[in-house]
Amino acid sequence: MKKIVIVSVLILVLLITGCEGKTKTLTCTKESVEDNLKTSEEMLVSYKNNKVFKITQTTIEEMDPDLIDTTISFGENFASTLNQVDGFEVNYSKESNNSVKYQITMDYSKMDMNKLKELFGDDWNEEDYIKAKDQDIEEFKKERLEGYSCK
């Protein structure tokens, strides 16, 4: 009987401590229309112990077909700079004949702040980075997910 109680207590402790550190993902979407062109956004926010540690934002933007190649070219230049930084992954692609898809993933747990400072110089705002890195999920929702529908 004593062994059953000890095993039961150990299992209970493992279940309780295992739940605290569980990674959760919030999925949020937003659509807007401007000049009859639609933009669809999806943001996946990963958090653990109520602290955001990773964000993946996927945007599909409709545009004039003549602007597709220029937008992708500009986007790829931007992506090549950010992709040099651990914790960033940026991709641009043609989604259709009148839309571009871009996806940005920021993994704050892997991000190299010194590399960001080096790449962006005076344009780098360290305060925003630090705030985002340790931001509580409720604060993140309030400050960055206005207009999104989340589940």
Side-chain angles (χ1 to χ4, degrees):
M1 181 71 168
K2 188 175 181 180
K3 286 183 181 179
I4 293 174
V5 171
I6 291 172
V7 170
S8 297
V9 169
L10 286 174
I11 290 173
L12 183 60
V13 168
L14 288 173
L15 287 173
I16 291 171
T17 57
C19 292
E20 286 180 24
K22 185 177 179 184
T23 298
K24 298 178 182 177
T25 303
L26 181 67
T27 302
C28 302
T29 57
K30 177 178 166 181
E31 288 191 358
S32 59
V33 177
E34 188 174 314
D35 298 327
N36 292 322
L37 299 174
K38 186 168 102 175
T39 299
S40 301
E41 296 178 56
E42 178 183 69
M43 190 173 309
L44 303 175
V45 182
S46 299
Y47 59 101
K48 186 174 184 176
N49 297 327
N50 290 323
K51 298 291 182 182
V52 174
F53 70 89
K54 184 177 181 181
I55 303 163
T56 299
Q57 182 173 355
T58 304
T59 303
I60 299 174
E61 189 172 338
E62 291 180 0
M63 61 184 60
D64 182 324
D66 294 335
L67 298 176
I68 298 283
D69 291 335
T70 303
T71 301
I72 290 174
S73 177
F74 175 78
E76 287 174 344
N77 286 333
F78 174 71
S80 69
T81 300
L82 278 177
N83 286 337
Q84 294 175 41
V85 178
D86 289 340
F88 266 100
E89 185 179 338
V90 183
N91 297 298
Y92 278 78
S93 60
K94 183 175 181 177
E95 185 70 8
S96 71
N97 69 338
N98 72 331
S99 64
V100 171
K101 176 181 176 179
Y102 50 98
Q103 186 173 56
I104 299 174
T105 299
M106 295 175 281
D107 187 337
Y108 295 115
S109 66
K110 297 177 183 176
M111 208 172 286
D112 183 347
M113 188 164 51
N114 291 326
K115 184 72 172 180
L116 283 169
K117 286 180 189 177
E118 178 185 315
L119 288 171
F120 292 102
D122 292 337
D123 293 331
W124 172 244
N125 186 337
E126 186 172 343
E127 186 177 312
D128 285 345
Y129 169 82
I130 291 169
K131 183 177 182 180
K133 181 175 183 178
D134 296 320
Q135 194 163 35
D136 179 81
I137 186 63
E138 294 304 320
E139 185 180 341
F140 184 89
K141 286 179 193 178
K142 206 180 331 178
E143 291 183 9
R144 299 177 185 231
L145 295 175
E146 186 175 328
Y148 283 82
S149 174
C150 299
K151 49 184 165 165

